[in-house]
Amino acid sequence: MAKDIWTIAEQRNGDIRKVTFEVISEARRLADRTGGQVTSVLAGGPGIGEKAAGLGAYGADRVIVLEDDKLAAYTTDAYCGAIVPVAKEGAPAILLLGASAQGKDLSARLAAALDAGLAMDCVGFDLDDGGNLVATRPIFAGKVMAEVGYQGEGLQMATARPNVLTPAPPDESRKAEVETKPVSLDAASLKTEVVEVLADETGKVDLTEAEIIVSGGRGMKSGENFAILEALADVLGATVGASRSAVDAGWRHHGDQVGQTGKVVTPNLYIACGISGSIQHLAGMASSKVIVAINKDPDAPIFQKSDYGVVGDLFDYVPALTEEIKKIKAE
Ligand code: FAD
């Protein structure tokens, strides 16, 4: 029997997030093999339905819109309360979400409510001969890749690490069928309410969504010295990250920390400056597409994971690199 695949679309302030396109594209690739349909569930505040048909460009056949004031800002209980009844009714075989902060939170609650098996933070998907999902996920801080299967007949759920799957080139002529379903949320059953959202005042792209990251470690020697990384990030359109040592020293905010106890990032380019490459740091950035390390110690472990390495003093190389890129951009 053809197996249908569902995805949960993610939006913030009405803007569809990139991981949504990655997940729908992957669902399309899988559904072309199972012979099933791709349905995406798009929940949000009033007006969100306008974004629904566009998801067809990435491969959704159908979009179920859940529109309600109480869904304008994400809360676990409101989103679960709205999505669970439609997922039970639609009974897909596979349900995929992005492993963003929201997706990680929502998927756990949905899996419990839908009695589904859930593989978190996956970097690849396949199907076995029976059309069942096989998910690849990094374990032991990224040292080992595990292939995860599912037991029983229940719903198979997985979250996909952002920026790893390749979104299909959008086909704007392809529109999804849009179905708006009624949302019935009892206000008394909602335990949380978003009172205020404080936007990041820097206006920089969040680390988990950045295409380029320039990161600094203990080798930066002070918080003030991060100014040279900010300058490089400015010319590259990058976001600045940090190792835990730099965060623990009070040089950077915890939100900038990359690694096992920080953020997991998968940019196209990760430039590590004065970072030794501990296993805990690598756990957060080893799946970056291209890694460049600048470190004065030729034996620093980071070089084993790097595509390009500069053995030298970052205080010489980083400003020189910034100037060279400025020159190239000016040409
Ligand atoms: P160091 O290891 O001290 O390396 C500094 C590097 O800078 C050296 O390689 C040195 O050669 C180089 N350097 C110095 N001066 C210069 C210069 N002028 N030019 C060029 N290079 C220079 N760490 C994380 O990053 N993220 C995490 O999420 C994380 N979670 C952890 C969780 C646990 C449970 C534990 C136990 C640890 C965790 N750590 C984490 C800490 C981790 O073990 C390392 O201590 C940390 O990553 C080291 O940071 P660093 O590379 O900046 O510093």
Side-chain angles (χ1 to χ4, degrees):
M1 203 183 78
K3 291 188 173 181
D4 289 335
I5 303 182
W6 281 29
T7 75
I8 307 292
E10 187 173 331
Q11 53 86 21
R12 191 179 285 168
N13 300 325
D15 292 327
I16 306 290
R17 308 196 80 191
K18 187 169 157 250
V19 70
T20 299
F21 306 132
E22 296 165 6
V23 170
I24 292 177
S25 303
E26 187 65 19
R28 176 78 269 153
R29 287 188 276 267
L30 295 171
D32 285 345
R33 290 169 61 194
T34 66
Q37 280 213 323
V38 174
T39 296
S40 195
V41 180
L42 175 60
I48 193 64
E50 288 164 24
K51 300 286 168 71
L55 299 182
Y58 293 88
D61 299 303
R62 185 171 68 127
V63 179
I64 294 177
V65 175
L66 301 169
E67 228 178 64
D68 193 283
D69 279 337
K70 298 185 208 70
L71 299 172
Y74 172 78
T75 62
T76 324
D77 41 9
Y79 270 57
C80 246
I83 293 170
V84 166
V86 294
K88 280 189 173 161
E89 189 193 342
I94 295 170
L95 176 60
L96 302 177
L97 299 79
S100 58
Q102 181 178 313
K104 284 179 187 170
D105 179 70
L106 180 61
S107 58
R109 185 77 80 90
L110 283 179
L114 297 169
D115 201 18
L118 171 63
M120 279 283 207
D121 203 22
C122 303
V123 295
F125 297 99
D126 202 350
L127 296 166
D128 68 14
D129 293 341
N132 296 303
L133 189 65
V134 179
T136 304
R137 56 186 302 265
I139 57 170
F140 299 124
K143 278 205 150 217
V144 178
M145 290 290 167
E147 282 200 344
V148 182
Y150 298 78
Q151 291 180 332
E153 296 299 309
L155 173 64
Q156 300 169 356
M157 278 182 67
T159 63
R161 185 177 284 191
N163 230 354
V164 173
L165 304 171
T166 314
D171 174 359
E172 302 297 345
S173 66
R174 202 178 178 287
K175 298 279 178 234
E177 176 197 324
V178 178
E179 198 178 323
T180 303
K181 295 255 192 196
V183 177
S184 139
L185 287 171
D186 172 14
S189 73
L190 302 180
K191 299 184 190 72
T192 46
E193 181 191 358
V194 177
V195 180
E196 192 183 0
V197 177
L198 299 173
D200 178 358
E201 286 167 7
T202 63
K204 289 268 158 113
V205 180
D206 185 75
L207 277 176
T208 55
E209 295 193 349
E211 304 269 341
I212 305 177
I213 294 173
V214 178
S215 248
R218 203 197 305 267
M220 295 306 300
K221 298 192 171 51
S222 76
E224 291 70 42
N225 287 342
F226 269 77
I228 64 169
L229 299 193
E230 298 282 0
L232 176 59
D234 276 348
V235 294
L236 289 171
T239 300
V240 174
S243 72
R244 178 159 155 180
S245 300
V247 171
D248 285 351
W251 301 342
R252 300 298 291 186
H253 188 265
H254 177 66
D256 294 347
Q257 185 178 317
V258 173
Q260 190 181 319
T261 42
K263 290 181 176 159
V264 175
V265 299
T266 31
N268 293 333
L269 174 61
Y270 189 91
I271 306 179
C273 306
I275 293 178
S276 60
S278 66
I279 181 75
Q280 294 89 356
H281 189 78
L282 296 175
M285 45 61 78
S287 46
S288 304
K289 298 206 173 73
V290 175
I291 298 172
V292 177
I294 305 176
N295 196 306
K296 65 180 182 186
D297 173 8
D299 296 323
I302 190 81
F303 287 125
Q304 288 167 24
K305 286 281 170 189
S306 305
D307 300 282
Y308 302 94
V310 176
V311 178
D313 191 325
L314 70 91
F315 295 102
D316 296 333
Y317 279 91
V318 174
L321 183 59
T322 307
E323 285 314 308
E324 277 308 308
I325 294 168
K326 273 189 191 161
K327 270 190 227 157
I328 293 166
K329 285 199 152 184
E331 277 166 20

